[in-house]
Amino acid sequence: MPWDRNQMAARAAEELEDGMYVNLGIGIPTLVANYVGDKDITLQSENGMLGMGPFPYEGEEDPDLINAGKQTITELARTAYFDSATSFAMIRGGKIAAAILGAMEVDEKGDLANWMIPGKLVKGMGGAMDLVAGVGRVIVVMDHTNKHGQSKVLRECTLPLTGKGVVDRIITNLGVLDVVEGGLKIVELADGVTEEEMRAATEATIVD
Amino acid sequence: MNKVYANATEALDGLLFDGMFIAAGGFGLCGIPELLLQAIKDAGTKDLTFASNNAGVDDFGIGILLQTRQVKKMISSYVGENAEFMRQYLSGELELEFNPQGTLAERMRAGGAGIPGFYTKTGVGTVIAEGKEHKEFNGETYILEEGIFADLAIIKAWKADDTGNLIFRKTARNFNVPAATCGKICVAEVEEIVPRGSLDPDCIHLPGIYVHRIIQGEHEKRIEQRTTRKREEA
């Protein structure tokens, strides 16, 4: 059985080490916070916060306290607030150990596309281009194929890029792939997924 | 030196002109200068260019100036929450320049610090890099981005003293600090003006040198996405 959203998030959480400062994107990446266990992880929200806490209890929402997805959140004992220039200085300056992000397409050179589809409504890149260019390690979490069954793990991205050669590791419902010299290397297969199934669903070059 | 004005309209008196360039603070609807935006709407100033991370929603934030067609161009990183914005953009009535969020923040910071340009890795190999100078440093490619120098900055803070020293609250600080610094003139709206000496000098987020005019007012502080958890889950 391929992994479901929660299993993908749990697998992504294994990438995080004690003491890391991490930025989580919207969607499945947000679920990663539920699986860090005892590890001491500090979450950054790029609108100006380190030490992001869970959603508030009903009635305790604070309009001055939101995450980068504009959702109401809470602070923790360790929380620090800062302005947007400072926030992206720590991103661009390589202080954030890892970003876990969703994607529309990833390719074998580590190119990432996750911000626009030509001809469709373009909402903007937000902080995604800054994150992928700046953080220590970029981990993509997404479904291996789109709703038409076509591979999202490509030889070359077809959509406008968010970053070029920026992805380090890809976690999908079928398993884990690393971007290496010459293509992608299979690191792990989801329980019950065969290498043949992984290869069949992957357009990118797989190297041994 | 009197920086304190009675209301937003008086605070903007003599500062507004058609075709001007305004830098605005805020992230989503959090920490936006809602009173000053309303006063700009009331003044009817046209052909405005805004450097602002977002464009508000249809009936709040910069959205109210889109309804009255007062905005010519937006420089933003994300504009997804505004249907009227999309309509005007797709019909060609509104110009849009997407900036990566960190690039936009740094362009404001740089402008405010007297730095006309800087190199960044953000956007290299993407549409953002097209037409921009590329330069190698230590074997890596960077692109040149320019500082923002705005005619006016409008921001929202939590508390001010009468000299313009400001403190912000939680994530409402966001773009307000870099936006404030990149305007020739900065007008700040705050929830409370406190007596001189009552703010801890060690805890000022933005020194008064950057703030030229201040107003105090009631803020709606609308929440864009109310997300909560249930007590039982605790």
Side-chain angles (χ1 to χ4, degrees):
Chain A
M1 280 284 286
W3 287 327
D4 63 22
R5 288 162 58 88
N6 285 304
Q7 287 169 312
M8 287 158 70
R11 180 59 189 82
E14 288 177 28
E15 302 292 320
L16 304 181
E17 291 165 28
D18 203 57
M20 273 188 173
Y21 291 87
V22 177
N23 186 295
L24 302 179
I26 292 165
I28 302 174
T30 306
L31 301 174
V32 174
N34 300 335
Y35 297 96
V36 296
D38 293 336
K39 285 183 282 195
D40 189 23
I41 303 293
T42 304
L43 298 179
Q44 197 231 23
S45 189
E46 66 266 25
N47 53 318
M49 177 183 200
L50 279 167
M52 180 166 48
F55 292 151
Y57 293 123
E58 221 171 287
E60 293 179 4
E61 308 91 324
D62 184 338
D64 289 335
L65 183 45
I66 64 169
N67 64 18
K70 288 145 193 158
Q71 300 168 311
T72 47
I73 48 162
T74 55
E75 63 186 20
L76 304 170
R78 71 176 59 189
T79 296
Y81 299 111
F82 35 84
D83 67 75
S84 299
T86 306
S87 182
F88 282 93
M90 66 182 72
I91 289 169
R92 214 183 293 105
K95 315 301 177 190
I96 304 292
I100 301 179
L101 303 168
M104 298 170 185
E105 292 177 349
V106 182
D107 74 25
E108 63 191 46
K109 296 179 297 304
D111 295 359
L112 167 70
N114 72 353
W115 79 282
M116 77 174 278
I117 300 172
K120 294 229 172 124
L121 223 52
V122 184
K123 294 183 168 189
M125 72 291 285
M129 285 189 181
D130 310 274
L131 279 162
V132 300
V135 302
R137 193 167 154 76
V138 174
I139 300 156
V140 164
V141 182
M142 63 173 196
D143 283 325
H144 210 96
T145 52
N146 64 23
K147 59 178 181 243
H148 307 295
Q150 296 159 322
S151 187
K152 292 169 67 176
V153 185
L154 306 174
R155 285 208 177 83
E156 188 162 11
C157 288
T158 62
L159 297 170
L161 297 182
T162 308
K164 210 168 170 55
V166 294
V167 176
D168 296 290
R169 176 162 280 195
I170 307 162
I171 299 172
T172 75
N173 51 325
L174 301 186
V176 182
L177 297 151
D178 271 352
V179 179
V180 297
E181 191 68 37
L184 304 180
K185 188 172 165 34
I186 299 173
V187 175
E188 193 178 325
L189 295 165
D191 298 332
V193 173
T194 65
E195 190 174 326
E196 288 64 42
E197 286 169 329
M198 169 71 97
R199 284 177 181 271
T202 305
E203 191 211 87
T205 310
I206 293 181
V207 298
D208 293 319
Chain B
M1 176 181 74
N2 177 31
K3 295 186 176 182
V4 179
Y5 287 71
N7 56 52
T9 298
E10 284 185 28
L12 291 171
D13 185 43
L15 302 182
L16 301 178
F17 58 92
D18 291 348
M20 73 186 301
F21 183 10
I22 301 175
F27 181 92
L29 301 181
C30 180
I32 58 171
E34 53 183 89
L35 305 174
L36 292 162
L37 289 168
Q38 181 62 47
I40 292 170
K41 180 187 174 181
D42 296 341
T45 319
K46 293 192 300 289
D47 296 326
L48 301 171
T49 295
F50 268 97
S52 169
N53 189 56
N54 312 94
V57 293
D58 282 329
D59 62 342
F60 199 59
I62 289 176
I64 63 171
L65 300 175
L66 292 165
Q67 285 182 345
T68 49
R69 313 281 173 94
Q70 286 170 262
V71 183
K72 183 183 73 178
K73 180 179 177 182
M74 291 294 310
I75 303 171
S76 303
S77 86
Y78 193 84
V79 296
E81 322 301 341
N82 193 320
E84 176 61 15
F85 182 101
M86 281 301 170
R87 195 200 60 72
Q88 289 184 26
Y89 172 56
L90 294 172
S91 70
E93 294 165 57
L94 181 68
E95 246 181 282
L96 170 60
E97 178 187 323
F98 274 129
N99 279 191
Q101 193 174 139
T103 294
L104 179 59
E106 188 64 12
R107 289 185 66 195
M108 291 179 179
R109 195 202 70 80
I115 296 170
F118 59 93
Y119 291 95
T120 176
K121 258 194 291 188
T122 302
V124 171
T126 76
V127 292
I128 293 303
E130 286 170 13
K132 288 175 184 162
E133 185 199 322
H134 288 58
K135 187 165 169 148
E136 299 242 328
F137 294 89
N138 303 317
E140 297 225 48
T141 305
Y142 294 74
I143 54 172
L144 178 65
E145 295 281 4
E146 295 186 1
I148 284 176
F149 301 90
D151 297 310
L152 172 69
I154 55 172
I155 64 161
K156 149 84 174 48
W158 184 31
K159 292 181 182 178
D161 66 20
D162 69 309
T163 73
N165 290 321
L166 300 185
I167 58 171
F168 300 87
R169 191 169 170 274
K170 303 184 188 287
T171 56
R173 197 181 319 182
N174 56 56
F175 274 84
N176 283 297
V177 170
T181 65
C182 78
K184 269 185 217 140
I185 298 273
C186 172
V187 183
E189 58 179 71
V190 302
E191 292 174 47
E192 189 182 1
I193 297 174
V194 298
R196 199 180 292 195
S198 62
L199 296 176
D200 180 351
D202 267 332
C203 297
I204 301 296
H205 297 143
L206 186 69
I209 190 168
Y210 293 107
V211 180
H212 305 91
R213 300 183 181 189
I214 317 154
I215 56 157
Q216 175 182 307
E218 289 291 319
H219 289 83
E220 178 183 336
K221 298 214 286 186
R222 195 182 293 187
I223 291 176
E224 198 161 340
Q225 284 202 51
R226 194 176 294 274
T227 44
T228 58
R229 65 189 147 134
K230 292 213 163 61
R231 294 259 172 206
E232 302 85 81
E233 289 173 20

